[in-house]
Amino acid sequence: MTPARAVLSGIGACVPSNTVTNADLSRHLDTSPEWITSRTGIEERHVVSGGESTVDLAVEAGTRALKSAGVAAVDAVVLATTSPERLCPAGAPEVAHRLGLGFVPAFDLTSACSGFVFGLGTSQGLIASGLARSVLLIGAEAFTTLVDPEDRGTAVIFGDGAGAVVLRAGTGAEPGAIGPVSLGTDGSRADLLHIPSGGSRQRAATGLGHELDKSSWYLQMAGRTLFQQAVARMTEASRSALDDAGWTVPMVDLFVGHQANLRILTAVAKRLEVPEERVFVNIDRVGNTLAASIPLALTAAAAQGELNTGDRVLLSAFGAGLSWGGTTLVWPDLAVESPL
Ligand code: ACO
């Protein structure tokens, strides 16, 4: 018997109400709105405030995805996040509890900006193995809390938000069926984007014989090298996903790539020869939201009418790890609410 495939049956996303513009950042950082816009494509981002957390955002996006799918129950919850509220326990069980989903299996997945695509692969596996007939997959981040507000190289890039999808068991021939998922990692380059302290290797930024080093609490990023890696790996992941699906570039109606930097998206699209009008962009409104980026972009694209039933969609992402991944799907008929 052919194993069941994960089929997209609901989607929803949200961002915190607090908006931070480039002009806001330029008031306390040595930068300018022009630099940020021209180097990244970002105009504004949404940032958690007043105690809002990753789980709060995940619950809101999950609520919207369940509503879009018209279901009140799922068999499993997967939360992709690299900004968990605490090291232990995982956030997914609390999300499942707050959504009233009962004692379902629920776990977190850490794959930075590739988290949602890794989550699609994982959910596909849960469904194909028969472990679950339906999965709520959420990408949620309050990553701005892990970024040094005084570091102009990183503080201008990230935003917070969440996006969620309901995946149900179905067949590969149905609209919404997730295509073959292509995934990869390169752990030899883990230090290109990392947060040194807070984990088990280095619990605190200070200790016996050590000076307080505030920066080790925060994200350290080698931006230029990551840029090159992102372009190469997202292009590679896109090509693999297309090949595995038996698609060619002209068949793609919309390319929804991880929104890390407008110049990265443009460079990937150029290498793939995807025309500009088929590249979805919302980084200008939300910044880089890591694992939330792709489901947030998909929700926005559908709500804005840039993604319509029957459209062939190519997804690809790149992030810390390093990690990367891509997949394809034909957009199903879904009820979608605007995330902004
Ligand atoms: N405002 C003004 N100047 C700045 C700023 C800023 N906000 N940030 C850096 N600069 C300066 C640098 O100090 C440097 O100055 P120098 O030439 O005097 O040394 C100059 O601008 C150029 O710096 P670069 O780092 O080469 O700038 P670049 O054009 O590469 O843009 C950026 C930097 C936006 C970070 C870019 O490299 C990038 O987007 N990289 C990818 C980052 C990324 O995608 N990270 C996420 C990975 S995914 C994940 O998993 C989280």
Side-chain angles (χ1 to χ4, degrees):
M1 205 175 81
T2 317
R5 285 277 282 279
V7 175
L8 177 63
S9 62
I11 191 163
C14 68
V15 288
S17 56
N18 175 39
T19 305
V20 176
T21 65
N22 293 346
D24 294 333
L25 290 173
S26 303
R27 275 192 274 282
H28 70 272
L29 283 173
D30 180 16
T31 188
S32 66
E34 295 72 33
W35 192 96
I36 302 170
T37 304
S38 64
R39 303 311 292 164
T40 70
I42 301 166
E43 301 277 355
E44 62 182 27
R45 69 287 290 143
H46 294 258
V47 172
V48 287
S49 62
E52 268 172 319
S53 72
T54 300
V55 165
D56 294 335
L57 294 171
V59 168
E60 181 59 33
T63 302
R64 294 180 186 198
L66 292 167
K67 185 177 162 207
S68 161
V71 298
V74 289
D75 291 345
V77 175
V78 179
L79 173 62
T81 185
T82 299
S83 44
E85 337 201 317
R86 41 194 176 178
L87 279 181
C88 177
E94 188 182 341
V95 173
H97 166 69
R98 283 176 53 183
L99 288 171
L101 297 173
F103 301 133
V104 293
F107 59 94
D108 288 6
L109 181 159
T110 305
S111 225
C113 302
S114 310
F116 184 75
V117 181
F118 272 72
L120 286 176
T122 304
S123 303
Q124 179 78 281
L126 291 172
I127 287 174
S129 68
L131 217 73
R133 298 280 301 165
S134 60
V135 178
L136 175 63
L137 166 64
I138 308 173
E141 305 280 3
F143 197 76
T144 59
T145 59
L146 308 181
V147 171
D148 183 352
E150 305 304 323
D151 175 11
R152 68 175 183 175
T154 52
V156 302
I157 293 173
F158 296 96
D160 302 324
V165 293
V166 175
L167 300 159
R168 62 164 175 82
T171 72
E174 291 180 74
I178 304 302
V181 183
S182 167
L183 302 171
T185 67
D186 177 3
S188 73
R189 293 175 171 227
D191 288 352
L192 289 181
L193 195 148
H194 70 133
I195 300 170
S197 292
S200 59
R201 182 186 290 181
Q202 189 181 339
R203 288 293 295 130
T206 186
L208 275 182
H210 294 283
E211 290 298 312
L212 177 71
D213 178 9
K214 176 183 78 117
S215 66
S216 74
W217 282 107
Y218 289 121
L219 175 74
Q220 309 293 312
M221 184 175 89
R224 203 174 293 184
T225 312
L226 277 171
F227 190 105
Q228 292 156 357
Q229 284 288 315
V231 173
R233 296 305 191 180
M234 279 175 67
T235 305
E236 183 185 310
S238 302
R239 288 201 176 116
S240 298
L242 289 172
D243 286 350
D244 294 348
W247 290 14
T248 57
V249 169
M251 293 169 71
V252 174
D253 294 303
L254 198 66
F255 170 48
V256 181
H258 167 52
Q259 310 280 311
N261 184 315
L262 180 58
R263 293 185 296 130
I264 292 175
L265 279 175
T266 308
V268 173
K270 198 169 167 200
R271 286 185 178 205
L272 292 172
E273 296 184 28
V274 174
E276 200 182 315
E277 63 277 10
R278 296 190 184 183
V279 180
F280 183 73
V281 175
N282 72 338
I283 190 171
D284 53 326
R285 306 283 306 278
V286 297
N288 179 346
T289 59
L290 293 94
S293 171
I294 286 185
L296 198 47
L298 287 171
T299 310
Q304 288 165 216
E306 288 188 52
L307 189 50
N308 297 296
T309 308
D311 281 352
R312 284 178 294 252
V313 189
L314 169 65
L315 307 179
S316 90
F318 167 84
L322 303 176
S323 59
W324 55 88
T327 192
T328 52
L329 79 156
V330 174
W331 195 250
D333 186 13
L334 291 181
V336 185
E337 227 178 285
S338 173
L340 295 179

